[in-house]
Amino acid sequence: MQKLDRGIISPYDMKKTKNRIIYGVMILAILVMVISMLYPMTVTLFNGLKPNKEVNSFPPTYFPNHWVWGNYSKAWNYIDLPGFLVNTLKIFVGNMAATVVIIGFAAFSLSKLNVPLQKYVYVFFMITLFIPPTTYIIPNFINLKDLGLLNTFWAFWLPAGASAYYMMIQKQFFDSINNEIFESSRIDGASEIRNFFQIAFPLSLPIFATLAIFVFSSAWNDWYWPSLVMHGDKTYPLAVAIVKYVLNVRRLDTNIKFALLTLVSLPPVVIFLIFQKFIIRGLNIGSVKG
């Protein structure tokens, strides 16, 4: 008799009417979720391809009756998208550097070094996860103002080095690395900084790839904090520019607005689809110690 691999639902389970009904309901729920997520994205895409009169017509149409591909070229030239994109990438690169160096050193120290009161220090950082982020927006703003760092990218880079959640993920990953590797390196005379960059960092590329996607998503989508600390076109990230020059502008044609929103929403989706395996792998590895 041939032995079959048993999954969550085996062929034997599917012979039961009750299981088939439950399985069908699950598939239906997934389809509803997929449609509810894809519908607003596709509506935005197709509205960016319609004439402005058709976008504002009632009843609305899903597919364009007249395809106007020139809307996207007008949208691209409407504002300095490359310049605002560069500002967003500067925020991402600085935030990622703070995540790797500052938070990475902290996680490595708590995981592999004999830090005094190590457990209490770790618990202290974990307690901060229960504090709502809105409670420290004003203190952070006042501190940055006193330091003269408003309207500079340091207003993003410095707070990025204080994420307890990212530290927890990295520490759990470092805990899974065998301590004998670092002991052998110390016997050979390697410093702890060298242990971090030459041993811990290469072995932790999956978790850093995961964090890079999270940091990128945060830098791309964040609007509220940049609108508080940035006050000029030369420093505005993409999200602030979209709100200021697209969403809040009444005289701009609606189809051009949809085209701009499509242009700025597609890159994160593409990046996620390309690197989604790193997210799943990194979270699975970082959440299991051993």
Side-chain angles (χ1 to χ4, degrees):
M1 183 177 179
Q2 185 180 3
K3 184 178 180 181
L4 299 176
D5 294 334
R6 181 178 175 87
I8 297 178
I9 299 179
S10 67
Y12 175 78
D13 295 327
M14 292 301 296
K15 294 179 180 180
K16 300 179 181 179
T17 304
K18 179 181 178 180
N19 290 339
R20 289 201 300 268
I21 295 175
I22 295 176
Y23 185 74
V25 172
M26 292 171 58
I27 297 298
L28 180 62
I30 293 174
L31 289 176
V32 171
M33 293 176 60
V34 170
I35 293 173
S36 64
M37 294 177 184
L38 290 180
Y39 179 76
M41 298 178 61
T42 54
V43 167
T44 304
L45 173 65
F46 291 137
N47 282 344
L49 293 170
K50 297 177 182 178
N52 190 52
K53 184 178 180 180
E54 184 179 345
V55 174
N56 296 314
S57 63
F58 186 86
T61 58
Y62 184 71
F63 293 104
N65 294 324
H66 302 283
W67 297 75
V68 184
W69 297 97
N71 290 342
Y72 282 90
S73 61
K74 292 180 181 179
W76 179 265
N77 296 321
Y78 175 70
I79 58 176
D80 185 18
L81 284 178
F84 296 125
L85 174 61
V86 169
N87 293 337
T88 302
L89 294 179
K90 287 180 181 178
I91 296 173
F92 162 69
V93 172
N95 289 357
M96 193 62 205
T99 301
V100 172
V101 178
I102 300 176
I103 301 178
F105 279 161
F108 181 77
S109 300
L110 292 175
S111 177
K112 300 302 179 184
L113 303 182
N114 294 323
V115 178
L117 303 176
Q118 179 177 349
K119 292 183 179 179
Y120 297 100
V121 173
Y122 183 67
V123 169
F124 171 78
F125 282 117
M126 292 302 99
I127 290 175
T128 62
L129 291 175
F130 296 93
I131 302 176
T134 53
T135 60
Y136 47 79
I137 288 179
I138 295 177
N140 279 347
F141 180 84
I142 294 175
N143 289 334
L144 292 171
K145 181 180 179 181
D146 293 339
L147 293 172
L149 297 179
L150 294 182
N151 208 36
T152 68
F153 292 106
W154 288 102
F156 302 94
W157 299 339
L158 289 181
S163 175
Y165 176 67
Y166 290 166
M167 190 197 70
M168 177 189 67
I169 294 177
Q170 293 184 59
K171 181 184 180 300
Q172 290 179 348
F173 191 92
F174 292 148
D175 289 342
S176 65
I177 302 177
N178 197 324
N179 292 330
E180 294 180 359
I181 301 176
F182 300 100
E183 292 295 338
S184 300
S185 179
R186 294 186 184 104
I187 293 174
D188 293 336
S191 63
E192 299 302 337
I193 295 179
R194 186 174 179 181
N195 281 338
F196 177 80
F197 283 109
Q198 293 190 353
I199 298 178
F201 182 80
L203 293 176
S204 305
L205 286 180
I207 203 67
F208 284 124
T210 302
L211 293 178
I213 297 174
F214 290 161
V215 173
F216 175 81
S217 177
S218 177
W220 189 276
N221 297 321
D222 191 15
W223 163 79
Y224 185 71
W225 179 249
S227 66
L228 290 178
V229 299
M230 293 301 192
H231 309 102
D233 290 350
K234 294 183 179 180
T235 54
Y236 279 152
L238 197 57
V240 176
I242 291 298
V243 173
K244 185 178 178 64
Y245 299 121
V246 178
L247 299 181
N248 292 339
V249 176
R250 296 184 178 181
R251 295 185 178 181
L252 179 63
D253 290 342
T254 308
N255 57 346
I256 304 300
K257 288 186 178 182
F258 278 111
L260 278 163
L261 294 176
T262 303
L263 290 175
V264 300
S265 62
L266 287 181
V269 175
V270 173
I271 290 176
F272 174 80
L273 293 176
I274 295 175
F275 297 102
Q276 60 177 324
K277 61 180 181 180
F278 290 105
I279 297 180
I280 299 173
R281 180 184 176 191
L283 290 181
N284 288 338
I285 297 175
S287 60
V288 179
K289 180 180 178 182

